[in-house]
Amino acid sequence: MASKALPINLARLAAKCGVATEYRPLPDHPVPVPEATIRAVLTSLGFPAHDDDAVTQALTALEAEPWERIAPHVVVGQQSELPTMPILAPEGSRRMWGVCAQVYAAPSRESWGLGDFADLGTLAEITAGFGADFLLVNPMHAAEPGLPITPSPYLPVSRAFLNASYIRPERIPEFADAPERVKAQVAQLATQARAAQEATGLLDWDGAWAAKREALELIFALPRSRARGAGLRAFRKAKGRDLEDFALWSLLTDTWPGATQSLPEARDVVPGSEQARELAAAHAGALEFHCWLQWVAAEQLAEAQSRANAAGMRIGVIGDLAVSSHPAGADSWIYGDLLASGVEVGAPPNGLSAKGQGWSARPWNPRKLAQAEYLPFRHLLRTALENTGGLRIDHILGFFRLWWIPEGNPPEDGAFVAYDTDALLGILAQEAQRSGAVVIGEDLGLLEPGYRETLAERGIIGNTVVWFASEDDAIDDGGFFGTDEVRPGEPLAPSHFRRSTLALLTTHDLPPTASIVSGWHIDERIAHGVLEGSEEAARTSAAAQMDRMREFLTRNGFLGEDHEAVVDALHRYLIASNSILAGVGLPDLVGQRESQNIPGTFREYPNWQVPLRDASGQRVWLEDLAQHPRVAELVAVIREAATP
């Protein structure tokens, strides 16, 4: 049955505000957006649209806006040559491969139970010894200052600051000269944090942070040298108001948990207010503690990048920028109505999730962001690019449009909202050039024509996941086409991969390769009650996919007739691709089968809490990584495939 036509003024208002009234999960299959969803999204944009009279008033006000301003908030100009990211490698030069890791899941025995910045440096040195040129890591954005901590690195309280739980207390300079009493207390707390990880076999974020924060408070109280004191003051001055606001939010949530949301003691405390200044003055020491945490975290991240470069990595650490932040977090408090309320970011139904996904995060309001001259966005990118060799941007399609889901709606009942792509990509290019960093954009999902070409024109490296690679992925941004025929329905020939892309076998949203090859990922979903569709259909589909892949790998010389080493063959295929970068998952190196995250789940599966384990289920500690038999086997395969 045909859908009911939208009221004319509602359709006009949606068009002017960049709210799509349909989406296309398949090119020839438009799906209309419900009228109620469109009205809710427009209201979140700041245009009440609950009835037709409100829509008419909003449309009149919007059409009058250009005549009420002397000049637009922002003017986007374009040079004869588009601003681009730093050039990664000239045509014909050695392609690079690296390791993709969830750092918290791969701790050393010296850590406090979860991987930290010191482990990051060690992991970079180890993988550089394997021949890796980069280490792509999970987002290390700020988490809650108290308990409980949200385990997901993709739902931080702020994307503009670092997660203090990654600090290694013993690596802080003041600790070296601490009294023995303090050193003994810190050692006891470290033991306590490690013990918290043994109870369930999963990573205990709260147990680790509770002990580590107490240790950090002890170290903060130690005297600092004149130079160190000057360093902290310089850091606070350089970070300015943004850091002070973040520290104040941290103080508020420490003093009155939930204060920024409801409690009367802090309801009137907003950034820049008199109440905020009074509170900051009354708690100067606590405020400095939160600024100090950010300073120490930045120092230790910079040290990890230095260790990566010193070990021979050409790029080093590549950070990750989450799509948005927690609705009750620091960014929401600091930026206020620059973030849309009453909606969450997500994704419509697609091949990864038949019911769509909701990510519990607030999106930028594109109109308000423009009115703020994009300054918060520029600050966010500048800090995200600091102290690393590159930045991956999760769901970079959000620079074009984002799926907004009104509060209370299921993920499939959302709508795409458009953003000023030229402005966002222009600022990204400027900040990347300023820092000399490589930028990777996760360009997976529902793509409109021209999206990938626009990103490639600006030097942004895309993503190609082997399992999803199709003819669309063979359209090369540089005009390169292989000579082999592209066959619909089967994997791409290595020469058909887009050159300007990071090729991957797995991501943080996919099972490890060994799990896919063996079908174990289906067992995993059945065990946790999250398998979509029937078990028979899932196993039949997975078996057919693997049959096609084995036949392809054998025909192209990556796999012998015995079919025993499919994972090795897949990595030969990955490294042989035309892509300028190839990423090898750390779980794949050790043969892990458990997923780190199953999209669309919350309590059903322990997302972001699974430690690095090998095929036998044994923990793999960082100190043992280089000597692990499976690691040695797969690294040998990769290095041979990467040798010209």
Side-chain angles (χ1 to χ4, degrees):
M1 185 175 68
S3 59
K4 179 183 174 183
L6 294 174
I8 293 175
N9 279 352
L10 181 62
R12 286 177 60 199
L13 182 61
K16 284 184 173 292
C17 293
V19 179
T21 56
E22 66 176 29
Y23 72 97
R24 294 175 181 265
L26 297 171
D28 299 321
H29 182 59
V31 176
V33 175
E35 180 178 326
T37 296
I38 295 171
R39 291 183 183 275
V41 168
L42 286 167
T43 300
S44 292
L45 277 166
F47 293 100
H50 49 277
D51 57 36
D52 291 343
D53 287 342
V55 168
T56 300
Q57 291 177 24
L59 189 60
T60 300
L62 183 60
E63 291 175 337
E65 269 190 1
W67 306 100
E68 295 174 350
R69 291 198 307 266
I70 297 175
H73 297 293
V74 173
V75 176
V76 179
Q78 182 174 305
Q79 301 172 343
S80 57
E81 293 185 5
L82 292 171
T84 61
M85 311 302 160
I87 298 299
L88 189 61
E91 187 72 29
S93 66
R94 177 169 67 89
R95 297 187 185 106
M96 290 180 275
W97 72 273
V99 173
C100 307
Q102 301 286 311
V103 175
Y104 58 85
S108 65
R109 293 184 178 88
E110 293 183 355
S111 76
W112 291 47
L114 278 73
D116 56 27
F117 289 128
D119 292 332
L120 173 60
T122 302
L123 181 58
E125 291 170 339
I126 292 171
T127 52
F130 298 158
D133 277 308
F134 64 86
L135 179 58
L136 173 58
V137 301
N138 57 278
M140 294 186 170
H141 305 318
E144 293 84 352
L147 301 179
I149 283 184
T150 301
S152 172
Y154 292 90
L155 192 60
V157 298
S158 174
R159 296 187 293 166
F161 296 97
L162 292 169
N163 188 335
S165 69
Y166 285 100
I167 293 171
R168 176 72 66 83
E170 297 92 333
R171 298 290 281 264
I172 300 171
E174 284 72 36
F175 180 76
D177 297 322
E180 290 304 317
R181 171 185 54 82
V182 173
K183 288 184 176 181
Q185 287 178 281
V186 169
Q188 184 178 2
L189 288 165
T191 300
Q192 174 184 322
R194 295 178 192 119
Q197 311 304 316
E198 303 300 324
T200 64
L202 297 173
L203 300 173
D204 183 350
W205 289 80
D206 288 351
W209 177 236
K212 185 174 288 188
R213 168 148 180 178
E214 189 174 340
L216 290 169
E217 288 173 343
L218 289 170
I219 298 170
F220 171 72
L222 297 172
R224 286 183 284 278
S225 69
R226 180 173 298 180
R228 292 281 293 169
L232 175 56
R233 290 191 296 273
F235 179 81
R236 292 183 70 171
K237 183 178 180 180
K239 294 298 181 182
R241 167 73 181 274
D242 293 305
L243 175 60
E244 301 303 318
D245 284 345
F246 174 75
L248 183 57
W249 176 86
S250 300
L251 169 64
L252 283 168
T253 57
D254 263 354
T255 308
W256 302 297
T260 56
Q261 301 299 305
S262 59
L263 291 188
E265 294 94 330
R267 191 173 293 156
D268 296 328
V269 180
V270 296
S273 67
E274 182 62 32
Q275 293 91 334
R277 287 189 289 272
E278 290 176 357
L279 190 66
H283 299 273
L287 201 70
E288 184 175 63
F289 171 68
H290 291 292
C291 292
W292 175 82
L293 288 176
Q294 290 302 310
W295 178 52
V296 171
E299 284 186 323
Q300 293 197 358
L301 175 57
E303 181 186 1
Q305 171 65 4
S306 294
R307 292 172 67 185
N309 291 149
M313 283 190 167
R314 295 166 68 189
I315 298 176
V317 177
I318 299 178
D320 200 349
L321 181 69
V323 177
S324 192
S325 53
H326 198 292
D331 285 352
S332 289
W333 183 73
I334 293 168
Y335 297 130
D337 64 359
L338 288 178
L339 296 170
S341 59
V343 291
E344 67 171 311
V345 180
N350 56 33
L352 192 60
S353 179
K355 297 180 181 179
Q357 298 176 49
W359 300 332
S360 304
R362 292 175 63 189
W364 290 115
N365 182 321
R367 289 172 46 77
K368 297 288 186 181
L369 191 58
Q371 290 168 9
E373 301 176 356
Y374 294 96
L375 292 177
F377 178 72
R378 184 180 292 278
H379 164 73
L380 168 65
L381 289 177
R382 186 167 296 182
T383 55
L385 288 160
E386 285 178 342
N387 303 319
T388 61
L391 180 66
R392 174 192 176 272
I393 299 177
D394 193 42
H395 196 65
I396 201 170
L397 301 186
F399 281 41
F400 297 85
R401 61 182 188 176
L402 270 176
W403 186 253
W404 286 23
I405 306 165
E407 200 171 70
N409 280 18
E412 60 263 35
D413 283 348
F416 279 116
V417 175
Y419 286 77
D420 189 334
T421 304
D422 288 336
L424 298 179
L425 290 180
I427 293 168
L428 174 60
Q430 288 179 337
E431 294 304 323
Q433 286 182 325
R434 182 195 304 272
S435 66
V438 170
V439 175
I440 299 167
E442 187 218 18
D443 54 352
L444 308 173
L446 294 184
L447 290 146
E448 289 292 304
Y451 280 12
R452 281 177 169 165
E453 290 79 1
T454 297
L455 295 172
E457 284 173 353
R458 289 163 172 80
I460 298 173
I461 308 300
N463 269 182
T464 298
V465 178
V466 164
W467 304 104
F468 305 144
S470 66
E471 291 185 56
D472 289 340
D473 295 286
I475 300 173
D476 190 87
D477 43 82
F480 175 89
F481 291 92
T483 56
D484 300 329
E485 179 185 359
V486 175
R487 302 184 182 187
E490 76 162 30
L492 288 177
S495 60
H496 279 89
F497 279 56
R498 289 180 293 149
R499 177 167 173 77
S500 183
T501 190
L502 165 66
L504 301 162
L505 280 167
T506 188
T507 73
H508 63 270
D509 283 333
L510 293 175
T513 303
S515 181
I516 296 175
V517 168
S518 66
W520 198 85
H521 63 302
I522 296 174
D523 297 335
E524 183 177 59
R525 281 156 173 74
I526 292 172
H528 291 88
V530 295
L531 182 71
E532 294 182 353
S534 72
E535 177 181 347
E536 181 182 2
R539 294 196 186 280
T540 299
S541 175
Q545 180 186 38
M546 284 310 307
D547 286 344
R548 287 194 300 271
M549 181 62 79
R550 287 189 180 92
E551 191 276 331
F552 171 84
L553 294 171
T554 302
R555 173 161 42 87
N556 286 274
F558 299 114
L559 179 63
E561 293 294 340
D562 58 5
H563 286 190
E564 289 298 319
V566 178
V567 173
D568 289 0
L570 283 164
H571 283 85
R572 292 189 188 98
Y573 169 37
L574 177 75
I575 300 300
S577 73
N578 183 54
S579 300
I580 197 169
L581 297 177
V584 177
L586 183 60
D588 285 353
L589 281 178
V590 301
Q592 185 165 12
R593 296 185 300 178
E594 297 159 286
S595 298
Q596 187 56 235
N597 170 51
I598 298 180
T601 63
F602 177 45
R603 292 188 176 88
E604 303 94 330
Y605 186 81
N607 294 322
W608 320 113
Q609 298 168 69
V610 178
L612 187 67
R613 290 195 271 247
D614 62 19
S616 68
Q618 294 298 307
R619 286 285 298 267
V620 179
W621 298 97
L622 202 52
E623 295 91 337
D624 304 327
L625 188 65
Q627 288 76 41
H628 193 283
R630 178 55 189 152
V631 174
E633 290 173 359
L634 190 53
V635 166
V637 167
I638 293 167
R639 297 191 74 160
E640 181 181 3
T643 302

